[in-house]
Structure formats: C-alpha cells, structure tokens
Amino acid sequence: MLKNMPRTLIEQTINQIGQKVQVAGWINSKRDHGQMVFIDLRDKSGILQIVAGKNQAQDLREEDVVCVQGQIKNRPPQMENPDIQTGKIELEAEKITVLSKAATLPFALKDVPSLSLPVLLDFRPLTLRSERVKAILTIQEVVIDSFRQTMKRLGFFEFQAPAIVPTATEGGAEVFKIDYYGHNAYLAQSPQMYKQIMVGAFERVFTVTKAYRAEPSYTTRHLSEYVSLDAEMGFIDSWEDLMAVCEIVIRDMWSALEQKCPKELSLFGVTLPILSNNPLPKIKMRQAQEIIFQRTGRDNRNEPDLTPEDEKEICLWSKENYHSDIIFITHYPRSKRPFYTQEDPSDPQYTLSFDILCAGLEITTGGQRINDYQRLLQNIKEWGNTPNDFRFYLQAFQYGMPPEGGFAFGAERLVKQILQLENLREANAFPRDMGRIDNRLNG
C-alpha cells in the first residue's frame, strides 16, 4: 500500500468521482472479458467494481487480498448495478498489489446458503466472510447493543459476571465441572446469583455474558455456550414491573433493527415478528395449556412446562387473537423453577415467573426472586442442596435485600426467531455443542 495515500473504504468512494484513491480488500469475484477483467472488491463497508487489464489481474483469484490504486469513474449507464451502494461507479485500476494469496476455495462464498450445517461450521473461518453469515452476526450485534443501550437509559449498571463458579447456579446435572487447582468448580449456568448480589450495591444491574449448559442434545434449540442478556432490579413494586421493562427492551430492539438492518432483513426475506400495538399479551401457563387442548386436542394440562409444540401453538393463538407474535406466559409451577423464585401468594403451587415466547420459541425467562434470608435457606434445603455451598450468595440476603427480580434474554434465540433460522447454531459465530469445539470432536 502507498504510505503517502490513505486507504479509502469502499462506501466512501461514491463521493470521490474523478479522484484517485487507494482501496484494499478481498477479491469477491472475478470476470474475464478478453483484454479486460472485472473484479468485485470487498471490504467491511461494501463491494466496488474494479476494471483492470488482463495482465494486471491474470494471476488473481477469489479471496486474494489486494490493494488497488486508481481513479473512480462513473459506470456506463447500461453497466450500472442498482443492487449495491456503489452500483453507479467503478475504479479504473492503475496498480494492483497482492497483500496475501488465497488457496483454492473449497466452495464459492456465494454458495454458502446451500451448504449443510456441518460443512458451514467445519469451514467457519471462511464462511464467516459470506454475506449471509455476516448479516446474521450484524443482527446479533444490533440486538446486543440495543439491549445495552436500553439498560443504560433505564438506569441499570453494567457489571462483569464470573464464568467460574463454586456451585451449580440452577442445580441439576447440566453443568460443566472443572478442576480448579485441585478443587471442584463449574462453568456458570447463568450469572443469576451475582446479579442478585449486585442489586445490593447498585439496585439495577445488567450483564452481557456467556452461559454454559452441559445438555447432551443436538436439537436445533440448544447450545452448550450461549450469550445471555441478563438484568436484575431492586425495589420493585410488583413482578409486573419486570415484564414492563422486558417489553421496553423488545420494542427498542425492534426499532433499532428497523433503522439499522433493513438490508440484512431483506436478504433473508423476513419482516420482524409482529408486536401488538397494545401491551403484549399475558396468560398463565395453565391457561395456555387449556387453550392448546381446546385447539388441538393435545392434552398437556398436567405438565409442568410447555412443550416445543405447545410454544408454537400458543404463539399462533396470540397472533390470531392479539396480532402479536410475542406473548408472556406466566405462573410456572414452583417445582419447575429454581429455589430463589418467589411463590404466588394467592396460589403457592405456582410462581411469580414468566417466559416470553417469540414466534414459537422461548426467548426470555424471568420473575420475582425471594428476598427473605430464612425463606431462601428453607428452599435451598427443600431443593436438595446444601446451604453451606451457597453461603457467599446468602450474605446478600442476610444483610438486607429489597424486593427484587430479573430476567434474561438469549441472544442467539432472538436472532434465530428474527431471521427464521432453522438452527440456533447459525446464530452463533463459533457454536459449541456436544459434538463440536470449533472442530468436530469425533473427527
């Protein structure tokens, strides 16, 4: 690259017609036309057509990294491309410098949408460069950034939660056990206990963190490592305060996506899941099961949770009756929720808890927490745990904790539902499951 000429991003070239510029990026495609060669050059901001002589470009191939100096000119009207931002201009190459040569590609990047998921992930460093995968990750980046901005606007303090914990947060066997200097430790199933502790210092807190679940599952709905958008807030008047904040978060996300990602949404041919113009609908879990039974004849009315089929059906009902793809399901059974979940005083078999379903999939879970020290001790024992294992966490309640609660959004699940992806693994840059840590574990 010429040191006396700054690099120009491709998106900036539309304002530099007639000027000499230096651009750099990857060769997205190459088309030979006799003595003239047309190259589509790609950088982080877009694609620009390069017009070069045969001798300048004869040894170039897709994904070579090059620097090109030349003049920006208007394309002939019949050669304009309305599908790209730079479709009315081109760069007439004066000099092409190869910065890095690429090996022969195992497939063309334009064919990434047709690849099987295993191949897509086997070649992840390459497929990340495709328009489709970059669009998915752009949606995820906007979702996470919107969550963060909303939390800060609402007065929440951001903290960093630890990934290594001394005991299983949620209980159960779905934990990754690790050797911690000769002692047992675990990868955190969630930042739950730490965000509750932080309420005692900052009242309203949030974290964007990784969570780990050792689920022996290859389903399209689960990952072993995922991004959790967690929040917790003290001095609540009601557990409904939590749902109100969740609704603000979702509406802000949708607004951000509409403003910043029209190109990405268009690429997938989707519109955002429908949000009711009124407050989002809310029904109790048992009511949802009764509705599903009446609609389908499928009787899950005594089950402690909704099945995947139930989640899809109740979202269809919500769309038909409330014009909303998103619905709150509340009052899950006490036996289904963690020990720290507040019971419903009017019916102690159930809890002041909720899930949010979006177009047939749970994207959020939340609820009011128990803030009474003695009640927590009792529940820890009732759930079959040892209070001593939770003594660090319990200090926050031993020394005074206001009424509080919180929630967590799964970032990948949000992206999956927004783009109507078939598999959650597509919504993660480097997905982990029981069969893969970058490479396949079984060869």
Side-chain angles (χ1 to χ4, degrees):
M1 297 179 69
L2 295 179
K3 293 183 179 180
N4 61 346
M5 180 182 290
R7 178 191 176 198
T8 300
L9 288 177
I10 283 171
E11 67 180 2
Q12 299 169 337
T13 58
I14 57 176
N15 298 316
Q16 295 180 299
I17 297 170
Q19 298 181 33
K20 187 173 181 179
V21 300
Q22 176 173 236
V23 295
W26 290 261
I27 294 179
N28 200 64
S29 65
K30 175 185 169 186
R31 304 178 299 281
D32 293 316
H33 291 268
Q35 295 303 309
M36 188 175 292
V37 177
F38 293 93
I39 295 168
D40 283 345
L41 188 71
R42 182 187 78 245
D43 70 8
K44 70 174 185 175
S45 69
I47 289 178
L48 176 66
Q49 179 169 280
I50 309 294
V51 182
K54 182 177 181 180
N55 292 335
Q56 290 176 300
Q58 61 183 353
D59 295 327
L60 298 179
R61 61 169 53 156
E62 289 183 16
E63 295 308 298
D64 282 351
V65 183
V66 298
C67 173
V68 185
Q69 291 100 37
Q71 189 176 36
I72 298 294
K73 295 185 174 182
N74 286 313
R75 292 195 197 189
Q78 69 274 17
M79 299 291 288
E80 291 180 359
N81 181 357
D83 295 330
I84 60 174
Q85 185 181 13
T86 60
K88 292 186 177 182
I89 63 170
E90 60 190 14
L91 187 150
E92 188 175 281
E94 297 175 6
K95 182 180 180 181
I96 300 176
T97 303
V98 177
L99 303 178
S100 176
K101 289 293 293 181
T104 302
L105 302 185
F107 44 77
L109 287 184
K110 63 181 177 60
D111 295 331
V112 163
S114 64
L115 295 178
S116 68
L117 184 61
V119 173
L120 184 75
L121 299 180
D122 286 343
F123 290 92
R124 200 56 160 171
L126 178 60
T127 59
L128 281 171
R129 303 179 185 186
S130 74
E131 186 179 19
R132 174 184 170 87
V133 176
K134 288 196 293 184
I136 292 171
L137 298 180
T138 298
I139 293 288
Q140 185 189 70
E141 193 270 343
V142 171
V143 162
I144 293 172
D145 183 63
S146 175
F147 172 76
R148 177 174 278 118
Q149 295 305 318
T150 299
M151 289 290 94
K152 290 185 175 182
R153 176 168 58 83
L154 296 178
F156 285 72
F157 175 86
E158 184 172 11
F159 79 101
Q160 306 304 312
I164 300 173
V165 298
T167 189
T169 311
E170 311 291 345
E174 296 171 352
V175 293
F176 288 105
K177 186 177 180 180
I178 61 174
D179 181 353
Y180 190 73
Y181 304 109
H183 299 274
N184 291 333
Y186 306 89
L187 296 182
Q189 292 169 294
S190 83
Q192 179 60 46
M193 295 184 182
Y194 297 96
K195 62 179 184 173
Q196 287 184 268
I197 291 170
M198 292 293 282
V199 165
F202 295 98
E203 297 188 14
R204 290 185 163 204
V205 299
F206 77 97
T207 185
V208 177
T209 190
K210 294 292 183 69
Y212 304 88
R213 300 292 171 101
E215 294 180 291
S217 171
Y218 279 114
T219 75
T220 61
R221 302 159 54 95
H222 296 97
L223 288 169
S224 299
E225 177 188 76
Y226 64 93
V227 178
S228 187
L229 312 179
D230 272 83
E232 201 82 5
M233 52 191 288
F235 295 101
I236 60 175
D237 294 320
S238 163
W239 67 299
E240 293 185 354
D241 295 349
L242 307 168
M243 290 188 282
V245 172
C246 284
E247 184 160 344
I248 293 171
V249 168
I250 292 171
R251 292 188 185 278
D252 282 358
M253 280 182 186
W254 265 227
S255 178
L257 290 165
E258 287 174 343
Q259 293 174 24
K260 298 179 180 180
C261 298
K263 181 179 73 173
E264 288 76 14
L265 295 170
S266 177
L267 178 66
F268 282 82
V270 300
T271 56
L272 290 170
I274 299 169
L275 290 175
S276 171
N277 291 328
N278 299 312
L280 294 177
K282 304 175 182 66
I283 60 169
K284 294 182 178 181
M285 189 202 71
R286 292 300 185 205
Q287 292 174 326
Q289 290 172 325
E290 180 63 34
I291 290 168
I292 292 163
F293 174 67
Q294 296 298 329
R295 286 168 62 91
T296 69
R298 190 169 59 243
D299 193 355
N300 291 323
R301 289 176 293 178
N302 292 319
E303 295 299 318
D305 202 351
L306 299 182
T307 67
E309 293 76 17
D310 290 343
E311 292 180 348
K312 294 174 183 176
E313 186 63 35
I314 203 64
C315 283
L316 289 175
W317 174 85
S318 174
K319 188 172 185 178
E320 293 167 8
N321 289 273
Y322 292 94
H323 196 60
S324 179
D325 283 319
I326 299 181
I327 183 172
F328 286 91
I329 307 297
T330 70
H331 294 84
Y332 283 81
R334 182 170 177 263
S335 60
K336 184 63 180 176
R337 292 285 151 153
F339 68 83
Y340 46 76
T341 310
Q342 182 70 53
E343 301 162 359
D344 183 352
S346 64
D347 192 348
Q349 295 182 73
Y350 296 94
T351 56
L352 300 180
S353 64
F354 60 87
D355 284 352
I356 302 176
L357 308 184
C358 174
L361 182 69
E362 174 202 327
I363 58 168
T364 310
T365 188
Q368 185 169 345
R369 323 301 189 190
I370 296 171
N371 65 313
D372 179 77
Y373 173 71
Q374 293 298 332
R375 184 71 177 123
L376 277 173
L377 276 178
Q378 180 181 333
N379 275 19
I380 287 171
K381 296 174 185 176
E382 188 177 336
W383 262 251
N385 297 313
T386 303
N388 191 54
D389 292 340
F390 295 87
R391 63 188 185 277
F392 186 84
Y393 163 73
L394 287 169
Q395 284 186 50
F397 303 89
Q398 189 175 9
Y399 300 116
M401 178 67 69
E404 59 97 9
F407 53 85
F409 287 84
E412 290 88 352
R413 287 191 168 209
L414 275 162
V415 174
K416 178 182 183 297
Q417 295 310 93
I418 288 166
L419 293 178
Q420 300 176 23
L421 303 177
E422 292 185 5
N423 196 303
L424 202 61
R425 290 158 183 79
E426 294 185 75
N428 188 295
F430 306 104
R432 270 77 172 112
D433 58 36
M434 65 181 294
R436 180 183 297 275
I437 305 179
D438 293 343
N439 300 311
R440 299 190 205 189
L441 297 178
N442 295 320

